[in-house]
Amino acid sequence: MKHFLRLLLLLTLSFTKPVAAQQQLYYPPLAGTAWATVSPQSLGWCPPAQDSLLAFLGRKHTKSFIVLKDGRIALEHYFGTFTQDSVWYWASAGKSLTAVLAGLAQQEGILSTEDSVSRFLGRGWTSAPAAKERLIRVRHQLTMTTGLDDTPPAPCDNESSVASCLRYRTDAGTRWAYHTGAYRLLQDEIATASNVTINQFTNQRLGNRIGMAGAWRNYVYYSRARDMARFGLLMLSRGSWNGTAILRDTAYFRRMTTPSQPLNRSYGYLWWLNGQPSYMLPQSQLTFSGPLVPTAPADLLAALGKNDQKIYVVPSLGLVVVRQGQSAEASKLAVSSFDTELWGYLMRLYCPPTTTAPARPRLPLQLYPNPATQHLTIHSAPTATGLWLRCADLLGREITRQPLPAAGLTLDVAAWPAGVYLVQALDSQGSATGTQRFIKQ
C-alpha cells in the first residue's frame, strides 16, 4: 500500500503543474483525422505499465481506449476489429451530453432549469396527481430528483417514459433516484423549446463547433471514440473550444460539475463527481461513505454509461480518458468496479525515478488516532530537532507546513475533506525524513 501511494504521489506531481504554468490546451481541427500526439515517454510513463494497462483493457472486453494529455493524444488503442472509424453507443454517458445541451438551451433563453416540465410536455406527461406533476422542474431531471418511481411495476421499467409508467412516489427534490425514463424526456423538452430535432440541436449548437459527429437514436447517442474525446476536451476547457466560449453560462457549468443537491453529493447535473464524502448508486437508496472512485484524482468528472462506456475528465492532470466496449464485468448502469480498477492501472503508469544516492536514515512518525475525524496528534523521534511538518493530499497539494516540536503537536483536521493524506517530517534541507499515511474520515 505504501508503495502504491508513493507511486500515486509521484505520478500526480509529474502530471500536475501550477495553474499559471499549465500547458495551453491543444484542439484538433474541426475536420479530418489530424490530431497532435504526445509521447508517453515524455510523460514519464513506463512501457511495462502501458503494456499491463492495455492487457487489462483487452481482458475487460474493451473496443477503444484514448487518453488525452492537454488535448494531445498520449494513448489511442483499438481492440479486435474495432477501428478509429467504428461507431459505438454512449449509453448513459449521453446523459452528460444532454446536460450540456440543456445548458446551451438555457443560454439561448428558450429553456430554464426552473421551468416546469409541463411547460414543454403539457399536462399529463406523468400519471402523478396534477399538483405533484407541476412540482417537477427541469432541474429535477438534471439532478435525478423528480420524485417519480424509478422501479415501476412490469411491463414498465427504469427506461420507460410513457405517462402510465411515470408514477408518483414522493415530491420532487426530496429523493435521489437514477431514473432514465424521466431523464429521457429532457431531450424532448429541448427539441420542443428549440423547434428543431434533438439531432439538429446537437449538431448546430455543439457538434459542428467542436468537430463532434454523432447521432441520437431512441434517446441514445452513437459516435466514434474520438468524438467522445472531443466532448471530454470541451469539458476540460470548461465549455470553451480553441478560444471560443461554447457554453458561456459559467454559473450553469459550475452547478453541472459540483454537487447539485444534498442527497447524492457525487452527482451534479447528469455528471458523476469524484472526491466527495459520500455517494449513491443506481437502483439503490443506500448512501456509501468515501469518494466514488477512490483510486482516481479527487477532481475527476465522469460521464458513465451502461456496460462501462466512459468519459473521464481530470482538470488537475489535464487528462481526458475515453473507453468504449462491452461490459467489463457484470452489467451496471453507470458506476462499476471497473472504474476503480482502471484508475489503479492509470495511476501506476509513471516510472519512478531511480537514484544511486545513499538512503537517508528514516525517523519514525507516530500518528493517532488514525483514521481521525476531528484531531490528529503527531510525534516524531524524541531526539529529533529542527524538523518541520508537512501534510499534503494525494494530488501533492500542501495542506499545512509548520515547525514540528520535539514534544509533538495536535492538528485540527475537522474541516479537511475526507480522504487519504501524506504526513511528512522534513529536515532543514526540506527533505522528508519520515512519511506516514493518514486517513481523514
Side-chain angles (χ1 to χ4, degrees), residues 56 137 344:
F56 164 76
R137 310 289 177 180

Side-chain angles (χ1 to χ4, degrees), residues 376-396:
L376 175 67
T377 299
I378 304 167
H379 285 287
S380 185
T383 57
T385 59
L387 296 180
W388 282 72
L389 173 73
R390 178 180 184 269
C391 300
D393 64 17
L394 291 184
L395 290 178

